[in-house]
Amino acid sequence: MQIAFALLIPCLLWLGYTTLILWLNMRDVKPVRRSVQRSTKRVSVLIPARNEENCIGTCVGSLLDQSYENLELIVLDDQSADRTASILASFDTPMLKVIHGNAKPADWLGKPWACHQLSQAATGDILVFADADTWFAPDAIAAVADSFDEHTDMITIWPIQKLVTAWERIVIPMVYFSLFTLLPSRYVSADPRWMPRFLRPRFRPLFAAACGQFLAFTRSSYDRIAGHTSVKQDIVEDVQLAKAIKSSGGVVRMHHGHQSVGCRMYRSHSELWNGFRKNFLAGFEYNIPFFLFAAILHLVIYVMPFFLLPWAPVAALVCISIPILQRIILAQWYGMRWGDAFSHVVGVMWFQALGFRVLVDRMKGTKISWKGRAV
């Protein structure tokens, strides 16, 4: 019993830390809102679309319904093989500009190349890059434009996720759980005051975070970091763009998607698996030791307490309950089903299995195909 309790002490300490981070993030991460000082800057909303027949209509429809007047909407049809082009053609309005993507150069990945072409077509002072599976409240773009003050270079929004299938409800919340229980979001925007000043420039990019479903930049900041040209071979291009902004001395602000942006990332288990498979290791910057450490940490913190229940029932039950309570809090915050919090350990094991698959891919040199392209 004493050994079991001793093994659970690090778990309790870690869970205490993550609970503190979650509490701080709930205070710090706010929705974008309209300001008294209403923006009049030109905003370019840029949507890359490749085989998006299931969602492009909803996305474009919500953007054509925006209250913000000084707005241009450009969608790039990235050589789609489905009904994406015909759905876009059904919107008979001068507000929508559809461009057709050029063939991808060998040294570019698909999404950065599409976004680069969109940026070249844009005329706005603010560039908003959004995924085709997002949709927007009528005041969303106006609120984003108002949120760009003279000290803001980039804004990213974590959308409210629509979760339909059982696997969506198990897996997708794990992404939000990891973000909001591990990263103090205040340091995405500002340097830690407790860190010696001479170390801040070096460590500033480590606190970068971004959601590629919604990224917005001032044109000058985007051009200063060479835009998507600087991340043309990065699978996790959203975080790399945030790092580039922070490294250049710019300010990134992270917001909650409440009443502004929604998204449905994946629609089947196959999409979930392959979608995360293509970028899971890239999210760790291909650092295998760190990747393995994170896997072991998750097994120790979230799985081991189940095995220690017979020998230290109270401490083990506390360790099992805290992540579930954190998930319930996160569910209420982000409009998810709170009952799905009890599947937390299933989600942990799903990512363990994915991690093993990704390591096998790495050893074998397996290329993952996404939307008909190798990544």
Side-chain angles (χ1 to χ4, degrees):
M1 180 179 293
Q2 291 181 341
I3 295 175
F5 183 76
L7 289 172
L8 289 169
I9 289 176
C11 297
L12 291 167
L13 293 174
W14 178 263
L15 292 169
Y17 164 77
T18 58
T19 300
L20 173 63
I21 298 302
L22 178 60
W23 176 72
L24 290 172
N25 283 334
M26 291 185 70
R27 292 179 52 191
D28 296 337
V29 180
K30 305 295 184 184
V32 288
R33 298 189 186 282
R34 297 304 313 265
S35 169
V36 174
Q37 300 295 326
R38 298 295 172 95
S39 173
T40 58
K41 293 181 179 179
R42 184 158 180 79
V43 177
S44 299
V45 182
L46 310 172
I47 311 292
R50 179 174 172 84
N51 298 334
E52 302 287 3
E53 64 181 6
N54 290 326
C55 54
I56 191 63
T58 300
C59 176
V60 170
S62 68
L63 287 166
L64 293 176
D65 196 33
Q66 291 297 300
S67 62
Y68 197 75
E69 295 183 358
N70 196 6
L71 179 151
E72 69 173 354
L73 171 59
I74 308 176
V75 179
L76 182 137
D77 177 18
D78 190 10
Q79 302 181 341
S80 297
D82 63 359
R83 295 189 307 113
T84 297
S86 61
I87 293 171
L88 290 170
S90 69
F91 290 97
D92 185 16
T93 170
M95 290 180 61
L96 171 63
K97 179 180 180 181
V98 178
I99 60 177
H100 299 284
N102 296 320
K104 182 183 73 65
D107 60 338
W108 283 76
L109 291 178
K111 185 176 180 180
W113 173 240
C115 290
H116 173 67
Q117 294 175 84
L118 284 162
S119 72
Q120 292 184 312
T123 63
D125 305 302
I126 296 172
L127 306 182
V128 174
F129 296 91
D131 283 355
D133 52 10
T134 55
W135 58 86
F136 303 84
D139 283 340
I141 300 303
V144 170
D146 290 352
S147 297
F148 272 99
D149 56 30
E150 61 183 10
H151 304 296
T152 303
D153 298 276
M154 173 181 173
I155 288 174
T156 185
I157 295 177
W158 288 84
I160 300 296
Q161 295 292 334
K162 182 179 180 181
L163 308 175
V164 179
T165 66
W167 281 113
E168 287 175 80
R169 301 201 307 269
I170 290 170
V171 174
I172 300 298
M174 296 294 297
V175 177
Y176 283 64
F177 176 84
S178 297
L179 174 74
F180 289 114
T181 61
L182 293 178
L183 178 68
S185 62
R186 59 183 60 188
Y187 301 142
V188 173
S189 302
D191 291 334
R193 294 182 180 178
W194 45 264
M195 183 178 290
R197 190 176 297 274
F198 72 93
L199 289 177
R200 293 176 187 177
R202 180 178 178 183
F203 284 89
R204 188 175 293 139
L206 297 180
F207 293 100
C211 179
Q213 294 160 4
F214 188 100
L215 304 174
F217 306 82
T218 62
R219 182 83 211 206
S220 58
S221 298
Y222 181 81
D223 289 342
R224 186 174 70 241
I225 63 169
H228 280 82
T229 303
S230 65
V231 295
K232 63 182 181 179
Q233 294 185 337
D234 288 302
I235 296 176
V236 191
E237 85 291 339
D238 47 4
V239 176
Q240 295 303 323
L241 286 167
K243 287 184 176 182
I245 291 288
K246 289 177 71 68
S247 295
S248 71
V251 175
V252 179
R253 302 202 186 278
M254 191 165 77
H255 290 278
H256 184 298
H258 179 65
Q259 294 184 344
S260 60
V261 185
C263 179
R264 186 178 180 191
M265 293 174 65
Y266 304 115
R267 294 170 178 265
S268 68
H269 184 264
S270 176
E271 284 189 6
L272 271 171
W273 183 263
N274 290 316
F276 283 110
R277 183 181 175 187
K278 67 181 169 57
N279 57 22
F280 195 22
L281 189 56
F284 289 81
E285 298 189 346
Y286 301 98
N287 186 327
I288 302 296
F290 183 45
F291 188 74
L292 292 173
F293 170 77
I296 293 169
L297 180 67
H298 277 72
L299 287 172
V300 169
I301 301 298
Y302 302 115
V303 179
M304 184 182 70
F306 286 91
F307 292 94
L308 297 180
L309 266 171
W311 294 278
V314 175
L317 191 59
V318 171
C319 289
I320 293 168
S321 299
I322 290 176
I324 294 173
L325 291 172
Q326 291 173 337
R327 284 282 304 272
I328 290 173
I329 292 169
L330 188 62
Q332 291 181 325
W333 188 23
Y334 261 88
M336 303 174 187
R337 302 185 189 186
W338 67 268
D340 294 334
F342 292 92
S343 69
H344 183 75
V345 71
V346 179
V348 170
M349 294 309 299
W350 188 92
F351 275 101
Q352 295 292 320
L354 179 67
F356 178 78
R357 176 70 261 184
V358 165
L359 289 175
V360 172
D361 291 339
R362 183 72 170 177
M363 289 187 292
K364 291 184 175 181
T366 303
K367 291 290 185 180
I368 308 304
S369 178
W370 184 249
K371 294 186 183 294
R373 287 178 176 150
V375 295

